[in-house]
Amino acid sequence: MRSAHVTIRVHDIEAAAAFDRVGAFNRYAELSDVIRSVTTRQVSAEEEASDWDVYFRNGILSWSETDLFDRDALTITFEQIDGDFAEFNGVWRLTADGRDCLVDFSAEFDFGIPSLAGILDPVAERVFKETIARVVISLFAGNASVVGDEAVARAVAELTAEPVVATSGAR
């Protein structure tokens, strides 16, 4: 099984205050063009069910998951209950770091196609990391940064950079 892990530092916010924003999965599609849609349904005070459609390669990955919110531990654990992965689960973990908050996302996944794992898994890992980083940074209006992964930090910076308009200088 392959894993993806990314950490984002959100500046000047308490972890408890960041928890609700990170758990607002229904907003994710508006923050990334990779995420086609997310629909959430409240199951109980601590549990949601969510349905995800994500653009991947030349198609759409779809799955449904259970999301367990533990406000005391500042974690959200998720597990696929139906969908395109053979297995998919993980955890969001928020922790205080001085005046900042660290948002850790970890997931394990398996497409269940061993012959294509060497091709699909690295691409999926990169897409997970870049998409999650972009969404979290967007949730906090850019007041956040990727920790310890320069490749993801560069990719997210390129995705969020304002286009440069070339001018000739002539009037």
Side-chain angles (χ1 to χ4, degrees), residues 109-130:
F109 60 94
D110 183 355
F111 286 103
I113 310 170
S115 61
L116 294 178
I119 298 167
L120 293 178
D121 289 0
V123 174
E125 179 183 359
R126 179 184 52 78
V127 169
F128 271 128
K129 291 164 63 169
E130 291 175 4

Side-chain angles (χ1 to χ4, degrees), residues 18-95:
F19 185 79
D20 290 327
R21 277 198 236 177
V22 169
F25 299 139
N26 57 342
R27 291 199 53 217
Y28 282 29
E30 69 190 59
L31 302 171
S32 171
D33 56 358
V34 173
I35 301 171
R36 181 178 181 202
S37 68
V38 182
T39 306
T40 60
R41 297 173 308 287
Q42 197 70 38
V43 174
S44 70
E46 298 84 24
E47 183 179 351
E48 282 185 358
S50 56
D51 302 314
W52 296 73
D53 289 327
V54 175
Y55 295 106
F56 182 68
R57 295 180 51 93
N58 294 322
I60 297 173
L61 279 175
S62 297
W63 70 91
S64 297
E65 65 185 43
T66 58
D67 304 303
L68 299 173
F69 293 77
D70 185 337
R71 185 171 298 285
D72 293 334
L74 297 177
T75 61
I76 304 166
T77 56
F78 59 91
E79 184 171 3
Q80 175 187 273
I81 52 176
D82 186 40
D84 291 336
F85 293 98
E87 292 184 55
F88 179 55
N89 62 70
V91 64
W92 294 86
R93 190 168 280 111
L94 285 76
T95 55

